[in-house]
Amino acid sequence: MSQLPVVEIRRREEFCAAHRLHAPNLSDGENLALYGPCNTLHGHNYSVEATVRGPVEPGTGMVMNLTDLMRLLQELLIGEVDHKYLNTDVPFLADVIPTAENLAVAFWNRLQPQIETFKGCQLTRIRLYESQNNVAEYCGLTTP
Ligand code: NI
């Protein structure tokens, strides 16, 4: 069997949501000192990018159909978080401080099992833009 090129594809979706950063184990004063203005309720225009790696199937010329990736992002992520208050309104973010880092990890955990159902495909990166300049990326690494 001839070797197939392995390519990464990426889909980007956008959502708007409100949050505040507040660590439950800290006092109100400590939270204000740590998070500053982010301790107050505010919102972001977020973007999320999911990168999927897999072989280019000769019969279709695709790794996976980007329409399927778009649908997964919409159903599993955007539909759950768009125009929501992330601290209280999203079941899969319960007990999560909604930083960009934690959102990237939570999105990965939700999306990754579904990507694996597509032949040869693996999720390699979630990139979460809180703003144009503030970005968190997760690629599945954990501490030893
Ligand atoms: Ni914020």
Side-chain angles (χ1 to χ4, degrees):
M1 186 175 149
S2 61
Q3 291 180 316
L4 300 176
V6 173
V7 170
E8 288 187 333
I9 61 172
R10 182 180 307 137
R11 174 73 191 184
R12 175 187 180 100
E13 297 290 339
E14 298 177 346
F15 64 99
C16 305
H19 76 166
R20 70 182 289 236
L21 301 183
H22 185 91
N25 57 323
L26 300 178
S27 70
D28 286 351
E30 289 169 327
N31 268 292
L32 192 57
L34 177 62
Y35 294 121
C38 296
N39 187 226
T40 306
L41 173 63
H42 63 281
H44 294 282
N45 296 322
Y46 290 94
S47 297
V48 57
E49 295 177 356
T51 303
V52 173
R53 178 184 298 167
V56 180
E57 292 298 332
T60 64
M62 295 191 290
V63 171
M64 76 178 272
N65 196 319
L66 274 162
T67 303
D68 291 331
L69 182 54
M70 176 199 71
R71 192 175 299 122
L72 285 174
L73 288 169
Q74 285 288 342
E75 290 177 0
L76 296 172
L77 304 180
I78 307 302
E80 299 292 318
V81 298
D82 191 33
H83 287 74
K84 297 287 176 63
Y85 180 37
L86 300 179
N87 296 66
T88 61
D89 295 353
V90 182
F92 73 85
L93 295 176
D95 303 319
V96 169
I97 301 171
T99 57
E101 296 91 322
N102 278 340
L103 292 180
V105 173
F107 286 4
W108 171 286
N109 289 337
R110 200 161 163 78
L111 190 61
Q112 194 263 350
Q114 299 304 315
I115 299 297
E116 304 275 308
T117 66
F118 289 82
K119 186 184 169 201
C121 290
Q122 59 183 115
L123 185 63
T124 57
R125 191 167 299 265
I126 289 285
R127 189 177 287 157
L128 190 285
Y129 290 80
E130 193 174 69
S131 66
Q132 281 198 329
N133 295 329
N134 292 350
V135 184
E137 294 190 348
Y138 186 56
C139 55
L141 289 175
T142 58
T143 52

